[in-house]
Amino acid sequence: MKIYHVPCLQDSYSYLIVDESSREGAVVDPVEPEKVLEAANSHGVNLKLVLTSHRHGDHAGGNEKIKQLVPGIKVYGGSVDNVKGCTDKVQNGDKVSLGADVNILSLHTPCHTKGHISYYVTGKEDEQPAVFTGDTLFIAGCGKFFEGTAEQMYQSLCVTLGSLPKSTRVYCGHEYAEKNLQFALTIEPDNSRIQQKLTWAQNQKQAGLPTIPSTIEEEMETNPFMRVDLPALQEKIGCKSPIEALRELRKVKDKWKG
Ligand code: GBP
Ligand code: ZN
């Protein structure tokens, strides 16, 4: 499979996933459909599916339009998220296939919204899998807890996504890496992986390049919200359990003025 970034709005990404043998494509969160169609046309891709991470307008806001532009396209979205234009509701564990070699597994990852879905995508056997995490997992961060609790985010982030193969490539909904890594350094000033990644992210930005994808392994080493199981991190922020630490980190980040 091939995955193409489609930059949209201020700091958002749609992603085009292509099954190379059939040239069939799926698009994650096509908020600006024209840009997605242009990308699909330039790569000779026949769009079949929309994968919606969650109901917010900066993710699902292009669904109705893309249905008009691509008659017959199927629009997937979380069954409890009231996604605009949804034709096929999905639940945790539901599978969809694309072309000959691409398989998509829906993972319910609630908290940012109630019905948020992350999509775990595998291609041919020798290809690294990818996960599209919307606003649940960002590079070095996570989404705001608009419709859920720290318990739910712990399950979504540290259990559901944290159990994927370490080499899984992480594609998230927004370009927040620089700010998130700056925040991460306030929590773990001595973490050299965070320091290195911040310098790299700043260089990427200067060059007009994305900081995405990351990997699950890289997130485990640099993302404070995925590191709440570590007693050392809990201690640093005065907490005694992973969930308490996650709640506290989110509270501190919500107030942080980077
Ligand atoms: C920044 O860091 O660059 N602009 C700021 C943060 C996701 S988008 C903007 C922000 O709050 N982003 C949201 C988030 O979860 N950020 C995590 C963080 O800051 O750590 N959204 O646009 C947001 O979900 C939205 C749309 C929200 C519709 C509610 C509704 Br309703
Ligand atoms: Zn959102």
Side-chain angles (χ1 to χ4, degrees), residues 53-59 112-113 116 134-136 138 143-144 146 174 176:
S53 64
H54 67 294
R55 64 179 183 82
H56 288 157
D58 52 342
H59 297 261
H112 181 76
T113 65
H116 191 293
D135 285 1
T136 293
F138 294 124
K144 291 182 177 166
F146 288 127
H174 297 282
Y176 291 163

Coordinates of all heavy atoms in Angstrom, one line a residue, residues 53-59 112-113 116 134-136 138 143-144 146 174 176, ligand 2:
S53 N -12.6 9.8 11.3 CA -12.1 9.5 12.7 C -13.1 9.9 13.7 O -13.4 9.2 14.7 CB -10.8 10.2 13.0 OG -10.9 11.6 12.9
H54 N -13.7 11.1 13.5 CA -14.7 11.6 14.5 C -15.6 12.7 13.9 O -15.3 13.2 12.8 CB -14.1 11.9 15.8 CG -13.2 13.1 15.8 ND1 -12.0 13.1 15.1 CD2 -13.3 14.3 16.5 CE1 -11.4 14.3 15.3 NE2 -12.2 15.0 16.1
R55 N -16.6 13.1 14.7 CA -17.6 14.0 14.1 C -17.3 15.4 14.0 O -18.0 16.2 13.4 CB -18.9 13.8 15.0 CG -18.7 14.4 16.4 CD -20.0 14.2 17.3 NE -19.8 14.8 18.6 CZ -19.8 16.1 18.8 NH1 -20.1 17.0 17.9 NH2 -19.6 16.6 20.1
H56 N -16.2 15.9 14.6 CA -15.8 17.3 14.5 C -15.7 17.8 13.0 O -15.2 17.1 12.2 CB -14.5 17.6 15.2 CG -14.7 17.5 16.7 ND1 -13.6 17.3 17.6 CD2 -15.8 17.7 17.5 CE1 -14.1 17.3 18.9 NE2 -15.4 17.5 18.8
G57 N -16.1 19.1 12.8 CA -16.2 19.6 11.5 C -14.8 19.6 10.8 O -14.8 19.5 9.5
D58 N -13.7 19.8 11.5 CA -12.4 19.8 10.8 C -12.0 18.4 10.5 O -10.8 18.2 10.0 CB -11.4 20.5 11.7 CG -11.3 20.0 13.1 OD1 -12.2 19.3 13.6 OD2 -10.3 20.3 13.8
H59 N -12.8 17.4 10.6 CA -12.5 16.0 10.2 C -13.7 15.5 9.3 O -13.4 14.9 8.2 CB -12.3 15.1 11.4 CG -11.2 15.5 12.2 ND1 -9.9 14.9 12.1 CD2 -11.0 16.5 13.1 CE1 -9.1 15.5 12.9 NE2 -9.7 16.5 13.5
H112 N -11.9 11.9 23.3 CA -12.0 13.2 22.6 C -13.4 13.4 22.1 O -14.0 14.4 22.4 CB -11.0 13.2 21.4 CG -10.9 14.4 20.7 ND1 -10.3 15.6 21.1 CD2 -11.4 14.8 19.5 CE1 -10.4 16.5 20.3 NE2 -11.1 16.1 19.2
T113 N -14.0 12.4 21.5 CA -15.4 12.3 21.3 C -15.8 10.9 21.7 O -15.0 10.0 21.7 CB -15.9 12.5 19.8 OG1 -15.3 11.5 19.0 CG2 -15.4 13.9 19.3
H116 N -15.2 8.2 18.7 CA -14.0 8.3 17.9 C -13.4 6.9 17.5 O -13.4 6.0 18.3 CB -12.9 9.0 18.8 CG -11.7 9.4 18.0 ND1 -10.8 8.5 17.4 CD2 -11.2 10.7 17.6 CE1 -9.9 9.2 16.8 NE2 -10.1 10.5 16.9
G134 N -6.6 10.1 14.2 CA -7.5 11.3 14.3 C -7.0 12.2 15.4 O -5.9 12.7 15.4
D135 N -7.9 12.6 16.3 CA -7.6 13.4 17.5 C -7.5 12.7 18.8 O -7.7 13.2 19.9 CB -8.7 14.5 17.6 CG -8.5 15.6 16.6 OD1 -7.6 15.5 15.7 OD2 -9.3 16.6 16.6
T136 N -7.2 11.4 18.7 CA -6.9 10.6 20.0 C -5.4 10.7 20.3 O -5.1 11.2 21.4 CB -7.4 9.2 19.8 OG1 -8.8 9.2 19.7 CG2 -7.0 8.3 21.1
F138 N -1.8 12.2 19.1 CA -1.0 13.1 18.3 C 0.4 12.8 18.5 O 0.8 12.1 19.5 CB -1.2 14.6 18.7 CG -2.6 15.1 18.4 CD1 -3.4 15.6 19.4 CD2 -3.2 15.0 17.1 CE1 -4.7 16.1 19.2 CE2 -4.5 15.5 16.9 CZ -5.2 16.1 17.9
G143 N -5.5 14.1 22.2 CA -6.7 15.0 22.1 C -7.2 15.5 23.4 O -7.1 14.8 24.4
K144 N -7.9 16.6 23.4 CA -8.6 17.1 24.6 C -9.7 16.1 25.0 O -10.3 15.5 24.1 CB -9.1 18.5 24.3 CG -8.0 19.5 24.2 CD -8.4 20.9 24.0 CE -7.2 21.9 24.0 NZ -7.5 23.2 23.5
F146 N -12.9 16.0 25.5 CA -14.2 16.7 25.3 C -15.4 15.8 25.8 O -16.3 16.3 26.3 CB -14.4 17.1 23.9 CG -13.6 18.2 23.4 CD1 -12.8 18.1 22.2 CD2 -13.5 19.5 24.1 CE1 -12.0 19.2 21.8 CE2 -12.7 20.5 23.6 CZ -12.0 20.4 22.5
H174 N -3.6 16.2 13.1 CA -3.1 17.6 13.1 C -1.6 17.7 13.3 O -1.0 16.8 13.9 CB -3.8 18.4 14.3 CG -5.2 18.6 14.1 ND1 -5.8 19.5 13.3 CD2 -6.2 18.0 14.8 CE1 -7.2 19.4 13.4 NE2 -7.4 18.5 14.3
Y176 N 0.8 19.0 15.3 CA 1.0 19.7 16.6 C 2.3 19.3 17.2 O 2.6 19.6 18.3 CB -0.1 19.2 17.6 CG -1.5 19.7 17.4 CD1 -2.6 19.1 18.0 CD2 -1.8 20.8 16.6 CE1 -3.9 19.5 17.8 CE2 -3.1 21.3 16.4 CZ -4.1 20.6 17.0 OH -5.4 21.0 16.9
Ligands
ZN2 ZN -11.5 16.9 17.2

